[in-house]
PDB file of all heavy atoms in Angstrom:
ATOM      1  N   ALA B 185      11.123  -6.878 -15.239  1.00 82.00           N
ATOM      2  CA  ALA B 185      10.589  -6.196 -14.058  1.00 82.00           C
ATOM      3  C   ALA B 185      11.239  -6.800 -12.735  1.00 82.00           C
ATOM      4  O   ALA B 185      11.645  -6.288 -11.817  1.00 82.00           O
ATOM      5  CB  ALA B 185       9.194  -6.032 -13.958  1.00 82.00           C
ATOM      6  N   ALA B 186      11.085  -8.160 -12.777  1.00 87.00           N
ATOM      7  CA  ALA B 186      11.653  -8.935 -11.633  1.00 87.00           C
ATOM      8  C   ALA B 186      13.172  -8.732 -11.379  1.00 87.00           C
ATOM      9  O   ALA B 186      13.669  -8.484 -10.187  1.00 87.00           O
ATOM     10  CB  ALA B 186      11.395 -10.431 -11.846  1.00 87.00           C
ATOM     11  N   ALA B 187      13.813  -8.712 -12.465  1.00 85.00           N
ATOM     12  CA  ALA B 187      15.342  -8.327 -12.289  1.00 85.00           C
ATOM     13  C   ALA B 187      15.461  -6.990 -11.858  1.00 85.00           C
ATOM     14  O   ALA B 187      16.611  -6.803 -11.009  1.00 85.00           O
ATOM     15  CB  ALA B 187      15.983  -8.525 -13.678  1.00 85.00           C
ATOM     16  N   ILE B 188      14.674  -6.032 -12.251  1.00 79.00           N
ATOM     17  CA  ILE B 188      14.931  -4.683 -11.741  1.00 79.00           C
ATOM     18  C   ILE B 188      14.684  -4.695 -10.276  1.00 79.00           C
ATOM     19  O   ILE B 188      15.472  -3.911  -9.498  1.00 79.00           O
ATOM     20  CB  ILE B 188      13.990  -3.730 -12.400  1.00 79.00           C
ATOM     21  CG1 ILE B 188      14.351  -3.599 -13.926  1.00 79.00           C
ATOM     22  CG2 ILE B 188      13.999  -2.413 -11.913  1.00 79.00           C
ATOM     23  CD1 ILE B 188      13.225  -2.942 -14.835  1.00 79.00           C
ATOM     24  N   VAL B 189      13.647  -5.275  -9.776  1.00 80.00           N
ATOM     25  CA  VAL B 189      13.328  -5.350  -8.327  1.00 80.00           C
ATOM     26  C   VAL B 189      14.374  -6.014  -7.460  1.00 80.00           C
ATOM     27  O   VAL B 189      14.845  -5.508  -6.476  1.00 80.00           O
ATOM     28  CB  VAL B 189      11.900  -5.984  -8.057  1.00 80.00           C
ATOM     29  CG1 VAL B 189      11.749  -6.173  -6.618  1.00 80.00           C
ATOM     30  CG2 VAL B 189      10.782  -5.300  -8.582  1.00 80.00           C
ATOM     31  N   LEU B 190      14.921  -7.131  -8.160  1.00 83.00           N
ATOM     32  CA  LEU B 190      16.027  -7.801  -7.513  1.00 83.00           C
ATOM     33  C   LEU B 190      17.252  -6.882  -7.262  1.00 83.00           C
ATOM     34  O   LEU B 190      17.849  -6.788  -6.181  1.00 83.00           O
ATOM     35  CB  LEU B 190      16.519  -9.077  -8.161  1.00 83.00           C
ATOM     36  CG  LEU B 190      16.132 -10.379  -7.668  1.00 83.00           C
ATOM     37  CD1 LEU B 190      16.714 -11.359  -8.449  1.00 83.00           C
ATOM     38  CD2 LEU B 190      16.568 -10.460  -6.335  1.00 83.00           C
ATOM     39  N   SER B 191      17.533  -6.050  -8.230  1.00 77.00           N
ATOM     40  CA  SER B 191      18.759  -5.267  -8.211  1.00 77.00           C
ATOM     41  C   SER B 191      18.381  -4.071  -7.323  1.00 77.00           C
ATOM     42  O   SER B 191      19.373  -3.731  -6.466  1.00 77.00           O
ATOM     43  CB  SER B 191      19.244  -4.765  -9.545  1.00 77.00           C
ATOM     44  OG  SER B 191      18.130  -4.022 -10.216  1.00 77.00           O
ATOM     45  N   TYR B 192      17.119  -3.686  -7.165  1.00 73.00           N
ATOM     46  CA  TYR B 192      16.832  -2.646  -6.353  1.00 73.00           C
ATOM     47  C   TYR B 192      16.994  -3.171  -4.885  1.00 73.00           C
ATOM     48  O   TYR B 192      17.558  -2.327  -3.996  1.00 73.00           O
ATOM     49  CB  TYR B 192      15.336  -2.224  -6.626  1.00 73.00           C
ATOM     50  CG  TYR B 192      14.653  -1.249  -5.614  1.00 73.00           C
ATOM     51  CD1 TYR B 192      14.960   0.146  -5.757  1.00 73.00           C
ATOM     52  CD2 TYR B 192      13.749  -1.701  -4.680  1.00 73.00           C
ATOM     53  CE1 TYR B 192      14.206   0.979  -4.793  1.00 73.00           C
ATOM     54  CE2 TYR B 192      13.100  -0.842  -3.864  1.00 73.00           C
ATOM     55  CZ  TYR B 192      13.352   0.478  -3.978  1.00 73.00           C
ATOM     56  OH  TYR B 192      12.675   1.297  -3.108  1.00 73.00           O
ATOM     57  N   ILE B 193      16.613  -4.344  -4.574  1.00 72.00           N
ATOM     58  CA  ILE B 193      16.768  -4.734  -3.247  1.00 72.00           C
ATOM     59  C   ILE B 193      18.272  -4.935  -2.903  1.00 72.00           C
ATOM     60  O   ILE B 193      18.626  -4.536  -1.767  1.00 72.00           O
ATOM     61  CB  ILE B 193      16.087  -6.159  -2.967  1.00 72.00           C
ATOM     62  CG1 ILE B 193      14.509  -6.049  -3.183  1.00 72.00           C
ATOM     63  CG2 ILE B 193      16.282  -6.750  -1.642  1.00 72.00           C
ATOM     64  CD1 ILE B 193      13.706  -7.346  -3.196  1.00 72.00           C
ATOM     65  N   THR B 194      18.915  -5.502  -3.710  1.00 70.00           N
ATOM     66  CA  THR B 194      20.369  -5.837  -3.433  1.00 70.00           C
ATOM     67  C   THR B 194      21.305  -4.586  -3.432  1.00 70.00           C
ATOM     68  O   THR B 194      22.114  -4.476  -2.656  1.00 70.00           O
ATOM     69  CB  THR B 194      21.026  -6.862  -4.474  1.00 70.00           C
ATOM     70  OG1 THR B 194      20.539  -6.619  -5.795  1.00 70.00           O
ATOM     71  CG2 THR B 194      20.696  -8.220  -4.103  1.00 70.00           C
TER      72      THR B 194
END
Side-chain angles (χ1 to χ4, degrees):
Chain B
I188 297 172
V189 173
L190 250 189
S191 54
Y192 172 81
I193 296 174
T194 35

